[in-house]
Amino acid sequence: MQYSIKDFYFWKITMSLAMASFFIFASMYAVQPLLPVFVGQFGVSVSTSSLSISLTIIGLIIGLIVLGFLSDRSGRTFFIKFSLVGSIIPFFLIPLVDSFVFLLVLRLIQGFALAGLPAASLAYISEEIDKRSVSVAMALYISSNALGGMLGRVLTGYITDHYSWEIAFYFLASVGVIILVAVFLMLPRSNRFEASNLSFSRDIEGFLFHLKNPALLLVFGLGIVLQFSFTGLWTYLPFYLEGPPFTLSLQIISYTFFAYGLGVVGSPFAGWLAGKFGIRIVRIIGIITLGFGIFLTLSNSLVVLIIGLCITCLGFFTAHSLTAASVSEQATHHKGSASSLYLVAYYVGVALGSTAFGPIFSAVGWTGLVIVAGSIPILYIIFVTGVTKRRA
């Protein structure tokens, strides 16, 4: 039997995955406020420093494809636990290296390991939990993603400002060990998992089938564009805020990531609005909100800039959640692989946004970065609207 919200095992599963998700996403984005520190300590450029994020995401993308296939054959819980172990070890090793190249290699490996959780957890939830209760488990899991990403940035910034980034990494590793022990003790084994008997070639055929669907390609492209602009803004925000006219400390800069808290509110709110007005209309509103929030960060007023960051997060999580939801509507077959492809596209946007904006920021500063980041999602939705009308 599948577990319902009334079952003790339902809460063991949801709390285990929520804790694991919190740590995985905290690990993924923990270095974002530390990029200026890496520039100063290792003597690298701004763009090179940003590779500590983008290479992690590249490792994650590879891991999503490889570990996603393997989890369909070898079970779910092993890859969830593997993800935690593989994420913890680099945090113990990175402070010991003197070369930024070795730091990047370890972050790439860590990114691959991070993928074990998202590659297996959603399938695990859908297999073990009753359909009437699965939405609660999914909501807790996704909220933990946003919470982990937010607090991972805030904690590393705060600890680094008071002690050092090495201490921040050791702290994260220690939290990871505690969560790992809890997950090992709490996470139930799979009872309803059925190993896939399809060949890898058949799986890849199903995976690539969606690339022939023009409607899905537009959705995947939107996933890239949304994350490209959003990640680009947040990646280079610390460099902007540490200089004039703000000259903020790393601790204060890290507090700006509390704006991510609107992600916990934005996703369910967007779902409620979409039920009343439709996915397409609310998604367009979310994209316009995203662009408006980004442009507000051009203000020299710190209060207005923070308001802009909050509006940016609300618009982004609204647009992203509805774009992800529309994948299953557009896919006629292999809905699971369609969702995986969207996730890959989403993280391609993260990798591009964290590095591609480096030359723009170096050449034309924050103003140029904001103009590009704020314009691209709006221009893309205009393009998509035009293509959709021509196809109709």
Side-chain angles (χ1 to χ4, degrees):
M1 292 179 61
Q2 290 178 305
Y3 304 117
S4 73
I5 197 170
K6 298 179 180 179
D7 295 318
F8 176 62
Y9 274 82
F10 169 89
W11 293 106
K12 289 183 70 174
I13 290 173
T14 53
M15 295 310 297
S16 297
L17 293 182
M19 287 188 293
S21 170
F22 172 86
F23 179 72
I24 291 302
F25 282 84
S27 302
M28 191 183 305
Y29 294 111
V31 302
Q32 200 162 50
L34 306 182
L35 300 187
V37 177
F38 292 156
V39 170
Q41 179 161 338
F42 292 98
V44 297
S45 67
V46 171
S47 295
T48 302
S49 176
S50 70
L51 290 174
S52 59
I53 297 175
S54 55
L55 283 179
T56 305
I57 302 303
I58 290 172
L60 177 78
I61 292 168
I62 297 170
L64 283 171
I65 297 171
V66 175
L67 300 181
F69 284 148
L70 292 178
S71 73
D72 284 337
R73 290 160 171 74
S74 305
R76 314 299 184 190
T77 57
F78 170 81
F79 291 98
I80 293 169
K81 296 169 183 176
F82 164 81
S83 185
L84 287 170
V85 173
S87 304
I88 292 167
I89 293 174
F91 280 136
F92 283 117
L93 298 178
I94 289 174
L96 304 177
V97 304
D98 296 324
S99 167
F100 194 67
V101 173
F102 288 139
L103 184 151
L104 294 178
V105 170
L106 287 170
R107 284 289 289 173
L108 177 67
I109 295 170
Q110 188 178 42
F112 181 86
L114 288 170
L117 179 76
S121 58
L122 296 182
Y124 176 75
I125 289 173
S126 64
E127 290 165 354
E128 303 299 324
I129 293 179
D130 183 85
K131 289 182 179 180
R132 292 169 295 180
S133 304
V134 75
S135 60
V136 177
M138 290 288 191
L140 283 171
Y141 173 78
I142 293 172
S143 296
S144 298
N145 294 355
L147 187 63
M150 178 182 71
L151 289 183
R153 295 167 167 101
V154 172
L155 287 173
T156 52
Y158 180 87
I159 295 172
T160 299
D161 199 48
H162 283 76
Y163 302 100
S164 68
W165 67 268
E166 292 93 343
I167 296 296
F169 276 21
Y170 287 137
F171 176 79
L172 280 174
S174 301
V175 171
V177 170
I178 295 170
I179 290 176
L180 176 65
V181 172
V183 169
F184 262 89
L185 294 175
M186 291 175 58
L187 188 67
R189 64 182 179 86
S190 296
N191 287 321
R192 296 176 59 85
F193 169 74
E194 295 181 5
S196 172
N197 295 319
L198 295 175
S199 65
F200 274 103
S201 61
R202 290 289 300 277
D203 273 340
I204 292 172
E205 285 177 14
F207 198 72
L208 298 179
F209 170 82
H210 307 292
L211 298 181
K212 301 176 182 178
N213 184 336
L216 271 178
L217 289 178
L218 292 174
V219 174
F220 297 152
L222 182 56
I224 294 174
V225 165
L226 289 173
Q227 192 58 270
F228 176 74
S229 292
F230 188 71
T231 301
L233 182 84
W234 282 101
T235 299
Y236 296 94
L237 180 70
F239 293 103
Y240 175 56
L241 293 181
E242 72 172 0
F246 303 108
T247 321
L248 302 181
S249 68
L250 185 58
Q251 177 184 339
I252 300 301
I253 292 172
S254 68
Y255 290 157
T256 62
F257 290 101
F258 278 121
Y260 268 67
L262 286 175
V264 181
V265 177
S267 297
F269 182 63
W272 178 78
L273 286 177
K276 288 183 169 293
F277 304 105
I279 286 180
R280 181 176 172 274
I281 292 175
V282 180
R283 183 171 60 192
I284 291 174
I285 293 172
I287 292 169
I288 294 172
T289 303
L290 167 66
F292 176 68
I294 291 175
F295 283 118
L296 277 182
T297 64
L298 288 172
S299 173
N300 287 330
S301 166
L302 185 60
V303 173
V304 175
L305 184 143
I306 291 173
I307 292 172
L309 293 175
C310 292
I311 293 173
T312 297
C313 287
L314 180 63
F316 170 77
F317 283 105
T318 296
H320 161 55
S321 62
L322 296 181
T323 303
S326 67
V327 171
S328 59
E329 288 188 357
Q330 298 291 342
T332 54
H333 304 285
H334 301 91
K335 292 180 182 288
S337 60
S339 297
S340 297
L341 265 177
Y342 174 76
L343 205 56
V344 169
Y346 178 82
Y347 286 114
V348 166
V350 176
L352 290 175
S354 59
T355 300
F357 275 101
I360 297 174
F361 182 72
S362 299
V364 290
W366 184 253
T367 300
L369 184 149
V370 166
I371 290 172
V372 174
S375 301
I376 286 180
I378 296 173
L379 292 174
Y380 186 83
I381 204 65
I382 293 172
F383 165 75
V384 169
T385 303
V387 170
T388 304
K389 286 182 177 179
R390 284 198 299 269
R391 289 178 59 211

